Amino acid sequence: MPRVSQEHRDKRRRQILDAATLCFARKGFHATSMPDIFAEVGLSSGAVYGYFRSKQAIIEALLDSAMRPVLAALHDAAEVEPPLRVPEIIDVIHREMATVLDTDEATSLIVQFWAESIRVPQIRDSQRHDVIQLHDALLTLLGRLQPGRRVSSDSAWALIALGLGTFISQTVLRTNSLPTATLVDQLRVVLSEPE
């Protein structure tokens, strides 16, 4: 029997993860069964179990890969001249959060991960690790906007809060379609008003 190349294994693994993402987006983590995933991917149970021992293993693999595109794009952005402004940084995060699949599917998965992090310690720990990496990448980008000044760690946390808020309002709830730059400008106005 011929050996299967690593490239083939990687493609097959991605195929299974993509099919699982579609199932999870439609039915949620809890309502999706392994047979749903087998049917979606068009493979036998043995073929899928050869890559993932359980539905939880698939969820964990998706979680592991969820922030990779965002972090890679932010690291690339750290080399861009001129440095990205805050609205552009937020736009990079939003665009990359929905890179792998269409926005509705990616958004559904992200929101489900957030919900699961409340009850599953491994997911919470993974999410926490990813957010700390996000914080560090944002701190680097903010430092480039203010050369010669020490940027507070709190500034990166504030940018995460702003990014999540705009992601929820624009992508999850679709309550606004304002450009991110307009939202940032309005936040500046709000924050500059006297108390």
Side-chain angles (χ1 to χ4, degrees):
M1 183 173 219
R3 283 191 77 128
V4 176
S5 70
Q6 186 61 44
E7 181 182 357
H8 175 79
R9 287 192 57 75
D10 291 345
K11 283 182 183 177
R12 180 69 75 193
R13 184 176 192 279
R14 184 75 252 161
Q15 180 185 7
I16 295 166
L17 291 174
D18 289 348
T21 298
L22 292 171
C23 292
F24 294 146
R26 279 194 301 264
K27 295 175 76 174
F29 290 147
H30 297 288
T32 297
S33 66
M34 286 301 282
D36 292 332
I37 296 169
F38 308 151
E40 183 69 38
V41 75
L43 296 172
S44 69
S45 60
V48 173
Y49 283 124
Y51 290 85
F52 300 100
R53 69 186 186 294
S54 64
K55 181 172 75 170
Q56 186 64 34
I58 293 173
I59 292 169
E60 289 169 10
L62 286 168
L63 182 61
D64 283 345
S65 64
M67 280 298 283
R68 242 181 256 141
V70 173
L71 294 171
L74 291 176
H75 287 292
D76 290 346
E79 305 299 321
V80 171
E81 290 297 337
L84 297 182
R85 296 179 357 246
V86 168
E88 295 166 328
I89 294 168
I90 293 169
D91 286 341
V92 166
I93 294 169
H94 292 187
R95 183 181 64 244
E96 296 303 324
M97 286 176 83
T99 300
V100 178
L101 294 169
D102 103 350
T103 304
D104 289 339
E105 293 156 350
T107 300
S108 172
L109 209 57
I110 291 164
V111 172
Q112 289 181 69
F113 283 142
W114 292 343
E116 287 296 292
S117 70
I118 293 169
R119 67 172 205 86
V120 181
Q122 301 94 313
I123 292 177
R124 182 175 44 253
D125 291 346
S126 179
Q127 292 278 329
R128 185 176 291 139
H129 177 264
D130 288 348
V131 169
I132 289 169
Q133 286 188 307
L134 176 62
H135 170 274
D136 293 347
L138 292 174
L139 197 57
T140 299
L141 290 168
L142 290 172
R144 292 190 70 225
L145 286 173
Q146 301 175 8
R149 285 187 51 205
R150 184 179 177 280
V151 178
S152 167
S153 174
D154 293 345
S155 297
W157 290 121
L159 186 52
I160 289 171
L162 178 60
L164 286 175
T166 57
F167 178 76
I168 290 167
S169 68
Q170 290 176 341
T171 308
V172 177
L173 301 176
R174 295 184 181 135
T175 54
N176 81 68
S177 58
L178 293 172
T180 306
T182 301
L183 294 171
V184 171
D185 288 343
Q186 289 304 307
L187 183 62
R188 284 187 186 112
V189 170
V190 170
L191 293 176
S192 67
E193 292 195 13
E195 292 183 24

